[in-house]
Amino acid sequence: MYEEEEAVTRVAPLGRSGLVPSWLGRVSWGSVLAGTVVIISIESVLIGAGILMGFGTAAITSLTALSRITIGIGIWTLVSVLISFFVGSYVTAVLARARFSEDGLWHGFIEWAFSTAIGILLGVSALLLAIILWGITINAIVSVTTATVSFTPSEIQAGANLVFRAAGFFLLGSLLSLVTSLLGGWAGSGRMSREEAYIEEENRRRRRTA
């Protein structure tokens, strides 16, 4: 029993910190940070390309046309998020030298959580900045004109629908990106269980002593 545990521990290189018993020590935070940079870079390029193609190739003549374009960009954004999270988690697991599937899955999960938190902070900051700029613009328009700025009920409803779709895409993207992050972490690991590692170590020991 004790020999088996010792063998499993001996064949378990756990991240940059080496052979340590705690789960926290198995996490390579430098690899997680590198994976986050990869995710943000790929996601920014793909989403930017989608926005340029969406608004650059379509004629926006009504709120209906804007809604259709928004849906198309939302779908492309979702695809971009899934691709970037898979690649980023794969890079994280490879850099962390995750030998076991378990460690690869944990790195994928942590990569998803860390990148999602960073994305929310960046998104909230950008939203606040946009609201401030929009308020300044509206105040400037009202101050130089006597006309009253108003919206029709259909326009208000269309705006609410856009917000609802955006929230739905965010929730769906968060759940699906978790799946792709786990797959990326697993794919970047050695895809070996601890039992298999123990058997492999035992076979090596027997060949050395034979």
Side-chain angles (χ1 to χ4, degrees), residues 16-78:
R16 297 175 58 187
S17 56
L19 301 178
V20 293
S22 66
W23 172 84
L24 184 62
R26 300 210 302 265
V27 179
S28 175
W29 293 103
S31 302
V32 172
L33 181 60
T36 301
V37 173
V38 172
I39 289 175
I40 294 176
S41 300
I42 296 178
E43 190 174 336
S44 300
V45 171
L46 293 179
I47 292 177
I51 294 176
L52 289 177
M53 289 187 294
F55 286 101
T57 60
I60 303 176
T61 57
S62 64
L63 286 176
T64 302
L66 177 60
S67 178
R68 292 174 180 173
I69 294 175
T70 303
I71 293 175
I73 293 178
I75 295 174
W76 173 251
T77 300
L78 178 60

Side-chain angles (χ1 to χ4, degrees), residues 3-15 18-27 97-107 189-202:
E3 294 180 358
E4 178 178 347
E5 294 179 355
E6 181 182 355
V8 172
T9 304
R10 189 170 58 251
V11 299
L14 306 177
L19 301 178
V20 293
S22 66
W23 172 84
L24 184 62
R26 300 210 302 265
V27 179
R97 300 177 184 177
R99 182 179 182 185
F100 302 124
S101 301
E102 176 188 352
D103 294 328
L105 291 173
W106 275 115
H107 275 86
S189 68
R191 297 191 292 276
M192 176 183 294
S193 66
R194 295 184 182 276
E195 291 75 13
E196 293 172 340
Y198 171 71
I199 294 175
E200 180 180 315
E201 177 66 16
E202 280 296 302

Side-chain angles (χ1 to χ4, degrees), residues 82-147:
L82 298 183
I83 294 174
S84 61
F85 269 84
F86 178 85
V87 176
S89 297
Y90 178 88
V91 171
T92 299
V94 171
L95 294 179
R97 300 177 184 177
R99 182 179 182 185
F100 302 124
S101 301
E102 176 188 352
D103 294 328
L105 291 173
W106 275 115
H107 275 86
F109 175 77
I110 294 174
E111 183 59 65
W112 169 81
F114 187 78
S115 298
T116 300
I118 295 297
I120 291 176
L121 291 177
L122 294 178
V124 170
S125 300
L127 180 60
L128 291 177
L129 179 60
I131 292 175
I132 293 173
L133 294 178
W134 179 255
I136 294 174
T137 303
I138 293 298
N139 289 332
I141 293 175
V142 173
S143 63
V144 299
T145 181
T146 58

